[in-house]
Amino acid sequence: SQLSTGGPVQLFRNDTANGNSSFQVQLVGIASNRAGIGAKVRATATIFGESITQFREVSAQNTFNGQNALTAHFGFGDAEIINLLEIEWPSGQIDEYENVDVTLFGGIASAREGEGLVAVANEPSTPDPPASFGLELAYPNPFAESTTLRYAVPEAGAVRLTVFDVRGREVAVLVDAPKPAGTYEARFDARGLPSGVYIARLRHATGTALRTLTLTRAS
């Protein structure tokens, strides 16, 4: 087929595999708001022989009818170490991490205000067993690319956390494993899924819980 200009229709596909490294930080506020909105994140690394500092600010949105990803995402080229990762929280708390391996937690870490870096998915957040079973509201929600679900199980047992579309089709399995009693977080990566309403379902011997998730992409 032809375009109105008379030229051929062309499809461009990016298959680049350049080996460059990257690192993502998902913020979890304690004294600040839960999503860390308003936080300033700076990452310094030696990239292709030059010391470079990159800056990201976590914001809910900066365009009409859209929402930003709440994950601070950095590209590091050939760097293997982040010399300094600095997070300035809305509360005024400043967390600094030196010599962070860019492969830490598979290159995706959760930064808990004043508590350190942990793995994003399924990391127990409290040492004490919770008093009751539950699935909290996702944050952020609505979301554009990914969201985090926090859940609690009061006793050890098999846990299955899944996501369905409105037609009842399973689109993601976030957790399917035995877990000790505790409070956990699981990340739902919705890249590749269409905008719409989804249902998260948590199943455990002590109960079943549902939460509605809204995936909204900027037009």
Side-chain angles (χ1 to χ4, degrees):
S1 60
Q2 301 289 315
L3 295 174
S4 59
T5 59
V9 174
Q10 298 181 2
L11 172 65
F12 295 91
R13 189 175 72 181
N14 186 354
D15 289 331
T16 302
N18 54 25
N20 290 343
S21 61
S22 66
F23 194 78
Q24 300 180 48
V25 184
Q26 186 177 88
L27 305 188
V28 181
I30 305 299
S32 303
N33 64 86
R34 181 71 179 177
I37 293 173
K40 298 176 176 62
V41 186
R42 297 174 178 85
T44 301
T46 302
I47 304 173
F48 300 117
E50 182 180 357
S51 180
I52 296 175
T53 298
Q54 300 178 62
F55 173 79
R56 304 287 185 270
E57 182 170 358
V58 179
S59 60
Q61 63 87 27
N62 59 11
T63 184
F64 174 72
N65 201 27
Q67 179 172 333
N68 293 350
L70 298 180
T71 302
H73 193 169
F74 299 92
F76 289 110
D78 66 341
E80 298 180 354
I81 296 294
I82 304 170
N83 300 331
L84 178 64
L85 179 64
E86 179 186 272
I87 304 173
E88 182 181 345
W89 297 88
S91 67
Q93 165 83 20
I94 296 178
D95 294 335
E96 293 184 346
Y97 306 99
E98 297 182 350
N99 300 321
V100 178
D101 189 331
V102 295
T103 64
L104 180 69
F105 304 126
I108 304 176
S110 178
R112 297 180 60 83
E113 185 176 5
E115 297 182 4
L117 298 175
V118 298
V120 168
N122 311 321
E123 184 71 17
S125 60
T126 59
D128 300 324
S132 60
F133 167 84
L135 177 61
E136 296 184 8
L137 292 172
Y139 62 93
N141 192 30
F143 64 102
E145 290 187 355
S146 66
T147 188
T148 298
L149 292 148
R150 193 175 188 198
Y151 64 95
V153 289
E155 60 185 55
V159 172
R160 184 171 174 83
L161 178 58
T162 50
V163 179
F164 298 84
D165 64 16
V166 292
R167 295 184 179 181
R169 296 175 297 189
E170 185 179 280
V171 299
V173 178
L174 307 184
V175 183
D176 189 10
K179 295 286 182 182
T183 302
Y184 299 86
E185 290 182 353
R187 180 171 175 263
F188 174 38
D189 187 340
R191 286 176 292 184
L193 293 174
S195 297
V197 175
Y198 293 84
I199 306 297
R201 182 177 70 188
L202 176 66
R203 281 184 168 177
H204 182 261
T206 53
T208 298
L210 303 173
R211 287 293 183 185
T212 300
L213 313 174
T214 303
L215 173 60
T216 303
R217 302 190 191 281
S219 58

